[in-house]
Amino acid sequence: MEATSEFLARVPRRTDGKRDWPAELKARIVAETLIEGETVKAVAKRYELIPSTVSDWRRMARQGKLVLPNLEGMDFVPVEIETAVPIPVAQPLPATSSNPIDVIKDDVIVRLDAATPAIRIAEIVKAIAT
């Protein structure tokens, strides 16, 4: 809960001491109430609000006065992991040669393996030359 308190401390306050919630943050809080299993009361408590405030913001969203973030494709689906699938083993890297290539530009040194393709070396030289 300490992280939430630190977050809330950054929400600007009006001259009367009340928080001045930006519209984007209101919309995000309302969107949290739309997640399956969430309640207005739980979300309000998380943000140290009274539930009626969040309900007011939900009404504003229904009336088009508060634009919610795009919720298309935001459904959660259960994930099943098959344990019978073998986990691939990482292949060892090929042995490097003992003669590295150093590309030097001012105080920048890029050390490359001698087996590095010439086209890749040219790309690196071009990148550090600019």
Side-chain angles (χ1 to χ4, degrees), residues 2-130:
E2 187 174 319
T4 303
S5 296
E6 290 175 18
F7 166 78
L8 292 174
R10 288 179 269 157
V11 176
R13 293 193 178 264
R14 301 186 310 218
T15 55
D16 62 2
K18 294 181 180 178
R19 289 192 199 106
D20 191 16
W21 295 92
E24 301 84 34
L25 186 52
K26 289 179 186 179
R28 194 176 90 196
I29 292 169
V30 169
E32 285 184 34
T33 68
L34 302 176
I35 297 172
E36 188 175 334
E38 281 290 355
T39 64
V40 170
K41 184 177 179 180
V43 173
K45 183 177 181 181
R46 202 167 30 246
Y47 289 96
E48 298 178 11
L49 290 163
I50 56 175
S52 63
T53 299
V54 178
S55 293
D56 288 345
W57 294 348
R58 284 172 53 111
R59 183 180 27 77
M60 289 171 58
R62 281 192 303 273
Q63 294 171 346
K65 296 177 183 175
L66 186 63
V67 179
L68 297 182
N70 184 0
L71 301 176
E72 288 295 317
M74 294 297 289
D75 294 334
F76 289 97
V77 295
V79 175
E80 293 182 22
I81 299 173
E82 292 185 29
T83 57
V85 177
I87 299 173
V89 177
Q91 299 298 317
L93 294 173
T96 58
S97 74
S98 59
N99 298 323
I101 298 171
D102 289 344
V103 179
I104 303 169
K105 168 73 176 182
D106 299 325
D107 61 343
V108 175
I109 300 173
V110 178
R111 181 159 289 153
L112 303 169
D113 183 75
T116 303
I119 192 148
R120 182 66 182 141
I121 295 171
E123 291 169 346
I124 294 169
V125 169
K126 184 178 177 182
I128 65 171
T130 56

